[in-house]
Amino acid sequence: MNLFHPKILDSFKGYSGALLSKDVLAGITVGVVALPLAMAFAIASGLKPEAGIFTAIIAGGLISILGGSRVQIGGPAGAFIVIVYGIVDHYGIANLLLATAMSGVFLFLMGLFRLGTLIRFIPVAVIIGFTNGIAVLIGLSQIKEFFGLQITKMPAEFFQAVQTLYAAADTVNPIALMLSIGSLALLIAWKAIQKHLGYLSHIPGTVIAMAAATIVTSVLSLPVDTIGSRFGGIPSGLPSFEWIPISWGTAQFVIAPAITLALLGAIESLLCARVADGLIHDRHDSNQELMAQGIANLVTPFFGGMPATGTIARTVTSVQSGASTPIAGIVHSVTLLVIILFGAPLAKNIPLASLAAILMYVAWNMGEWKKFADLKQFRLPYRLTMLSVFFLTIALDLTVAIQVGLLFAFITFIYRISSLSRYEPASAIDFPELQQHQGSISAFRIYGAIFFGAVKLLESIENELPSTTLVLDLKNVIYIDVSGMDAILELEEACKARSIRLMICGLAHQPYEMAVRGGLLERVPSDFIYPDLQHGIAAAISQSH
């Protein structure tokens, strides 16, 4: 039970009818919000609209029941659009389902082996870079529907997509464009006046924009693409369970996309959970959340669904509507189920131009554009990391972007830590007796970490060896790795080759454990090991007489 303990089991202490009513109302609200987003995300990903709705119902319910956050709402997310569209384009829908299921296994294993906290080590610059890059790609992917361009199929690659859009620039549908602009304007206006609407402020702008565009399209019989004309509408019920064809050869074929989906799903869900923690002043269980995400992504593909993760916009909407337990997320799924059971025929007239406007709005709000304006406040490595991830996400691939971003962050971290590691000779003010033994006895204080990025520090000391005794004070060394210990052992060998006594002072905690494991204490006599520099220098002077 300690390994698998959903948050819902601890959510009902002090629960009351008033809290239940708030959860139910919040669940209904966020269910209505999720409807246009789920369809829009699926369509933008190259799938049918019902794939997004089924994912929101099944994965959303499983994440709420099994997750490690009290209020997180799961379902299809905008961050997945670019990845899913690329997988569908290169591998096909059948392989997308397999990759999604495999990503679920990876996510579950990440949570089972307690790797949830490691996601927090991904630098902010990397997260902002790929988030903004994905936002740009989402906006780019919606230009076709926003302008009503006559394009049979949009390429997945950035430069080819731009070229295709440019080639079709003379096929703009003015009616679709006016509908898109009207929907976008309504979204922006609704957001601006929402605080003055009283109870109506709880109605999301996405629903208002979609409903208004659908009514206008139906009443005026506008010549624009709709869900009905493109996909034939959506089914009024859940799909049946169908086995995904699985073979070792196919699994090898999609393992890279599956890993990408798992990593992105883990990052998105845990970031969302942290945002939720701040809203309700609670602390989520990151490993339990990953296991729940894994189960949801493993199950959903067998019902024709797409990848799912925690969704920040819907989670915030749920909390602001009064949610306090996973009941709200369960009600959100039930609400969507009721909508498709009884209202599926109404979806036929939803114009794709309106959904494109909604996604444009989501993409804009998804990006952290102010961070680019603030770049001048940061050092060059931070700027380089963020911008490289941003441009690589757009131009190449999210996986490559994250790899390069982590590499830049890794190199920057090594450089910064190595620059903080230093050594200095013992002060003549603190140890005036050393002045009488200049050239024969040298004492150095080492600060920081002795690791593979700072071994030159010991090489520099080796170039300043005295004639009889070297005293090293490691009191201010916080960490020594294997490479650092090897460098110390090499320094000990150099001293032995020149008949120089090496005295070690201040070994404690991790450096002491490393000295034991590395064999340093076996090679340095016990009477050359001292608790502090003062005793070491006194012994060195005493032995020199």
Side-chain angles (χ1 to χ4, degrees):
M1 289 300 293
N2 290 330
L3 282 177
F4 193 87
H5 190 80
K7 202 75 170 182
I8 194 172
L9 299 178
D10 304 321
S11 299
F12 299 116
K13 186 177 181 181
Y15 200 62
S16 63
L19 291 177
L20 175 61
S21 64
K22 286 184 177 181
D23 279 339
V24 171
L25 289 174
I28 294 173
T29 300
V30 78
V32 174
V33 171
L35 179 65
L37 294 178
M39 290 190 293
F41 292 154
I43 294 169
S45 300
L47 304 171
K48 292 184 177 181
E50 59 262 30
I53 300 176
F54 295 156
T55 302
I57 294 172
I58 300 171
L62 288 173
I63 290 170
S64 293
I65 294 171
L66 305 175
S69 171
R70 289 168 63 95
V71 293
Q72 175 143 278
I73 303 296
F80 278 124
I81 289 175
V82 179
I83 305 300
V84 173
Y85 188 87
I87 295 173
V88 171
D89 186 62
H90 289 98
Y91 302 96
I93 294 179
N95 286 327
L96 168 67
L97 299 177
L98 177 58
T100 303
M102 290 172 62
S103 74
V105 174
F106 294 147
L107 281 165
F108 186 85
L109 292 176
M110 288 169 66
L112 185 65
F113 290 107
R114 327 309 286 171
L115 300 180
T117 53
L118 295 181
I119 302 298
R120 298 188 179 187
F121 293 135
I122 296 179
V124 173
V126 174
I127 292 174
I128 293 174
F130 82 70
T131 300
N132 287 5
I134 288 172
V136 170
L137 290 175
I138 292 173
L140 179 72
S141 71
Q142 295 311 298
I143 291 177
K144 170 181 177 288
E145 303 296 350
F146 194 91
F147 288 88
L149 300 178
Q150 300 301 309
I151 298 174
T152 305
K153 182 174 177 58
M154 279 289 292
E157 292 77 14
F158 172 74
F159 294 108
Q160 293 180 17
V162 172
Q163 185 178 9
T164 302
L165 290 170
Y166 180 77
D170 58 348
T171 64
V172 174
N173 181 340
I175 304 298
L177 179 58
M178 291 176 62
L179 198 60
S180 300
I181 294 174
S183 299
L184 189 57
L186 182 56
L187 281 167
I188 296 171
W190 189 266
K191 180 71 173 179
I193 65 175
Q194 219 167 13
K195 58 184 177 181
H196 304 295
L197 294 177
Y199 182 76
L200 291 177
S201 64
H202 292 290
I203 302 177
T206 52
V207 175
I208 297 296
M210 184 186 70
T214 303
I215 292 171
V216 170
T217 301
S218 302
V219 172
L220 301 180
S221 300
L222 296 180
V224 296
D225 285 338
T226 64
I227 287 180
S229 66
R230 182 76 61 84
F231 304 102
I234 59 175
S236 56
L238 286 176
S240 58
F241 181 92
E242 290 187 16
W243 281 106
I244 301 173
I246 299 175
S247 67
W248 176 240
T250 309
Q252 287 180 306
F253 187 56
V254 297
I255 191 167
I259 292 173
T260 301
L261 290 173
L263 286 176
L264 183 57
I267 294 169
E268 282 288 307
S269 63
L270 296 187
L271 281 177
C272 179
R274 289 176 64 181
V275 170
D277 286 350
L279 294 173
I280 64 172
H281 308 293
D282 190 33
R283 186 177 295 275
H284 73 279
D285 182 342
S286 57
N287 296 307
Q288 180 63 39
E289 186 63 33
L290 288 183
M291 287 190 282
Q293 298 283 343
I295 293 172
N297 280 282
L298 177 61
V299 171
T300 306
F302 290 93
F303 293 90
M306 60 188 290
T309 186
T311 56
I312 294 177
R314 274 159 276 173
T315 298
V316 171
T317 300
S318 181
V319 174
Q320 290 177 343
S321 300
S324 59
T325 73
I327 293 297
I330 298 171
V331 173
H332 138 267
S333 295
V334 174
T335 300
L336 283 169
L337 177 59
V338 171
I339 289 174
I340 69 164
L341 287 177
F342 299 101
L346 299 177
K348 286 186 177 182
N349 293 322
I350 296 175
L352 299 182
S354 176
L355 293 180
I358 290 172
L359 277 184
M360 288 272 198
Y361 184 75
V362 169
W364 175 257
N365 287 288
M366 173 182 172
E368 298 187 51
W369 312 111
K370 290 183 179 179
K371 298 294 184 181
F372 283 158
D374 296 337
L375 274 179
K376 58 181 180 292
Q377 301 177 9
F378 298 97
R379 294 177 178 270
L380 179 61
Y382 182 92
R383 286 183 252 172
L384 187 62
T385 300
M386 183 186 294
L387 292 175
S388 64
V389 173
F390 175 71
F391 287 114
L392 287 172
T393 298
I394 294 173
L396 290 180
D397 178 76
L398 177 64
T399 307
V400 174
I402 292 180
Q403 289 172 350
V404 172
L406 290 177
L407 178 62
F408 279 155
F410 179 65
I411 293 173
T412 301
F413 175 77
I414 293 173
Y415 173 76
R416 293 295 298 161
I417 295 299
S418 63
S419 66
L420 294 174
S421 299
R422 60 186 177 87
Y423 76 95
E424 63 181 27
S427 170
I429 297 176
D430 296 333
F431 304 99
E433 60 271 26
L434 281 176
Q435 294 182 358
Q436 302 174 13
H437 300 274
Q438 285 186 353
S440 61
I441 299 176
S442 294
F444 296 99
R445 284 192 170 107
I446 301 179
Y447 298 86
I450 305 176
F451 69 114
F452 64 91
V455 293
K456 286 187 176 181
L457 181 146
L458 293 173
E459 294 173 1
S460 299
I461 292 177
E462 188 175 335
N463 295 330
E464 301 182 41
L465 289 178
S467 59
T468 61
T469 307
L470 173 65
V471 183
L472 293 182
D473 180 20
L474 304 182
K475 177 183 177 182
N476 297 299
V477 173
I478 59 174
Y479 174 76
I480 300 176
D481 72 352
V482 175
S483 298
M485 183 51 61
D486 285 345
I488 293 176
L489 295 176
E490 289 178 9
L491 178 62
E492 189 273 336
E493 289 180 0
C495 289
K496 186 181 293 183
R498 302 183 194 182
S499 300
I500 298 172
R501 291 188 293 268
L502 174 62
M503 295 183 171
I504 305 294
C505 307
L507 270 177
H509 308 300
Q510 192 273 346
Y512 177 81
E513 295 174 5
M514 198 65 196
V516 173
R517 286 191 285 141
L520 177 64
L521 298 186
E522 297 176 4
R523 295 168 62 166
V524 177
S526 59
D527 55 346
F528 284 6
I529 305 294
Y530 296 93
D532 55 53
L533 184 58
Q534 185 172 358
H535 285 86
I537 290 177
I541 293 174
S542 173
Q543 293 180 24
S544 67
H545 294 305

